[in-house]
Amino acid sequence: MRGAAANFGSLATRIAAQFLTLPILFASWEAERVGAWLLLFALPAYFGFVSAGFSGAGGTAAVAAHEKGDAALARAHFRSSWIMASAATLLLAALFPLAVAQAEEAVAALRSVPPDTLKQTLFALAIYIVATSQVAALEIPFRAVGRYADHIALNSASILAEIVVIALSVSLSDDIATLATALAATRITAAIWIAAQARRTAPAMFHGPSSTLGSSTRSLMLPSLALMLLPLVHGLNLQGYVMVIGISSGAILLAGFVATRTLTRLLDLFTSFSFSMQFYESTHLDPEDLETRRRLLAVMTVLAACIAVAFSAALLVFGDLAQRIFTRAQAPFDPEVASVLLLAAGLRALAAAPFAMIAAANRHSTTVAWYFIASLAGLILAASLADRGFSLPLVLAPIVLAELFHLVPAFRGALRMSNLGVGEFIASLFSRDRIGDVAWALRELRRSR
């Protein structure tokens, strides 16, 4: 369960950061300034997925090489991943200010930001993007020697430090550029600190000869791009809609949307754990053990459905109160917007278990491809709807369609692997055996926290 705990801890930290950051921003800034900042920060946050793709593929290859005792190859994978991640993010960091500056007049949420302030902010966020790639690449030495907990602790500490910096910056200044500069400095400091710890933890990854970097780079390029695709999908469905709404609707509406979305994303904590638990259990299952595979799929589906319904009902009842407290009553809670986001989150939760099952068998490429195509098409459709002046719930509706293109292929693959028909699977959800299975799963959830 070590990998599951790491994945769960990483997502929990990111969601906690979002959950804490918004009240801090709203406490000191008006909604228009908060919305402008959220739009500017959306792309740097999204570009972090690029580095995560290279570090994920490089980390997996480095772990395999390290376990085989090939230290030179492990170093080569680390170094080539670091070079690729740095080069990619340097290019993105250079293009980011140019792209935003060109679109400045067309972006409603940025019209209130003075030109000089915007230029300073973009420069600082470009530095933030590059520093983020360094932090991501430095995950590999920790993974190679099995020190997952150390990396999670260091990364979580750096994120918490950024929250403190945000609180101090917004309380002392109304200037967006000041906040961006402070965050860039914090992320650079974190990169230097984590690099020092990585050298101490895994010195062999930094010192000594390595295998040919060219062959390592070629072997990692396609796996890196494949791993980047899934975070890219999540980026489209999260930060992509932030940009669409910010461009078309202005900063105040954007701030309210992000606040509501952050509340609904609490359901993703369960989704992450469901995926991790199913993935690591499926990895160790005997391919011939169809009964265990079927029971795992059924029980996690039942749990996902129950938790998604209960969470959605609670948020729709108490969401207005929660968001008023969350935003200091600056951004109203829209039940229709929340309903669309909750439906998408519920479908994502249901898809976690079957997708984990096919991913554990390396049979997920088609599902990811459909998910990506649907997400990209959905974002384009959402931009068109927003440009035509449709209401926000309708603009968000394509997210639901994208999640369906994730859910349906994932279940089809998982049922095929389990040798189950659709009717048989639905009947298994209501079997008396599910009561005992659900009790077991709940015990596992409590034990793993």
Side-chain angles (χ1 to χ4, degrees):
M1 301 296 287
R2 177 176 61 182
N7 186 49
F8 177 75
S10 179
L11 180 66
T13 301
R14 291 197 300 270
I15 292 178
Q18 284 191 356
F19 202 79
L20 291 172
T21 298
L22 281 177
I24 292 171
L25 292 172
F26 277 110
S28 300
W29 288 357
E30 71 276 7
E32 186 175 25
R33 184 176 284 110
V34 173
W37 168 256
L38 292 173
L39 179 63
L40 286 170
F41 194 67
L43 274 176
Y46 175 71
F47 289 155
F49 293 134
V50 174
S51 302
F54 287 113
S55 65
T60 300
V63 168
H66 188 271
E67 289 182 348
K68 292 178 182 179
D70 193 341
L73 182 58
R75 278 193 295 271
H77 288 320
F78 167 49
R79 291 170 182 175
S80 59
S81 297
W82 199 346
I83 291 170
M84 286 189 291
S86 299
T89 49
L90 277 170
L91 177 61
L92 292 172
L95 294 176
F96 165 63
L98 298 176
V100 176
Q102 288 296 320
E104 177 186 354
E105 292 300 321
V107 180
L110 297 182
R111 290 172 188 162
S112 62
V113 181
D116 289 343
T117 299
L118 182 60
K119 290 179 182 178
Q120 294 171 22
T121 302
L122 294 177
F123 179 75
L125 290 179
I127 296 174
Y128 182 91
I129 291 169
V130 176
T132 297
S133 73
Q134 305 306 297
V135 172
L138 289 166
E139 169 189 342
I140 297 175
F142 294 99
R143 287 185 60 193
V145 297
R147 299 287 289 271
Y148 289 88
D150 289 358
H151 168 70
I152 295 295
L154 291 168
N155 194 49
S156 298
S158 66
I159 292 173
L160 293 175
E162 289 188 6
I163 295 174
V164 174
V165 167
I166 291 171
L168 291 173
S169 297
V170 299
S171 63
L172 296 174
S173 173
D174 291 336
D175 187 14
I176 289 178
T178 299
L179 174 57
T181 303
L183 284 177
T186 304
R187 185 52 65 105
I188 291 171
T189 303
I192 295 172
W193 177 45
I194 293 174
Q197 298 303 314
R199 282 179 175 272
R200 185 176 298 122
T201 301
M205 296 293 288
F206 292 86
H207 305 293
S210 63
S211 301
T212 305
L213 288 178
S215 61
S216 174
T217 301
R218 287 191 295 272
S219 68
L220 291 178
M221 185 61 70
L222 286 179
S224 296
L225 293 175
L227 282 176
M228 283 166 57
L229 189 59
L230 194 56
L232 183 62
V233 172
H234 296 314
L236 288 173
N237 292 331
L238 289 173
Q239 303 301 341
Y241 282 81
V242 171
M243 288 182 280
V244 166
I245 295 168
I247 291 171
S248 62
S249 303
I252 295 177
L253 186 62
L254 174 62
F257 162 71
V258 173
T260 302
R261 190 196 66 184
T262 301
L263 291 173
T264 61
R265 281 204 74 205
L266 291 173
L267 182 58
D268 286 346
L269 290 171
F270 168 78
T271 301
S272 177
F273 188 87
S274 173
F275 172 84
S276 299
M277 185 176 181
Q278 184 80 39
F279 180 82
Y280 289 101
E281 290 294 332
S282 297
T283 301
H284 298 288
L285 279 180
D286 184 343
E288 303 300 321
D289 189 1
L290 296 180
E291 178 60 26
T292 302
R293 190 181 302 277
R294 293 168 180 171
R295 290 177 65 186
L296 274 172
L297 182 61
V299 69
M300 296 310 294
T301 300
V302 170
L303 273 176
C306 292
I307 290 176
V309 169
F311 177 82
S312 299
L315 187 60
L316 289 175
V317 171
F318 299 106
D320 185 62
L321 175 62
Q323 188 151 321
R324 286 180 181 277
I325 296 172
F326 196 44
T327 66
R328 297 176 68 90
Q330 293 192 62
F333 180 78
D334 188 336
E336 294 182 357
V337 170
S339 296
V340 175
L341 293 173
L342 285 168
L343 179 56
L347 294 175
R348 193 160 55 248
L350 286 171
F355 181 72
M357 181 176 288
I358 61 176
N362 288 327
R363 299 182 183 179
H364 60 285
S365 57
T366 301
T367 299
V368 174
W370 277 113
Y371 196 14
F372 171 72
I373 293 169
S375 298
L376 181 59
L379 186 62
I380 294 171
L381 176 59
S384 176
L385 293 172
D387 186 59
R388 295 170 184 267
F390 282 87
S391 64
L392 187 53
L394 286 176
V395 171
L396 296 174
I399 298 179
V400 177
L401 295 177
E403 296 299 343
L404 282 172
F405 274 87
H406 180 208
L407 177 72
V408 173
F411 262 112
R412 287 181 62 184
L415 293 180
R416 192 179 298 116
M417 285 181 61
S418 304
N419 196 22
L420 270 176
V422 175
E424 291 176 288
F425 174 70
I426 293 174
S428 74
L429 298 178
F430 300 96
S431 169
R432 291 182 179 180
D433 294 336
R434 295 293 82 78
I435 298 175
D437 290 342
V438 170
W440 166 81
L442 291 174
R443 286 196 298 271
E444 287 296 307
L445 286 170
R446 288 195 296 268
R447 186 170 64 85
S448 299
R449 279 187 303 189

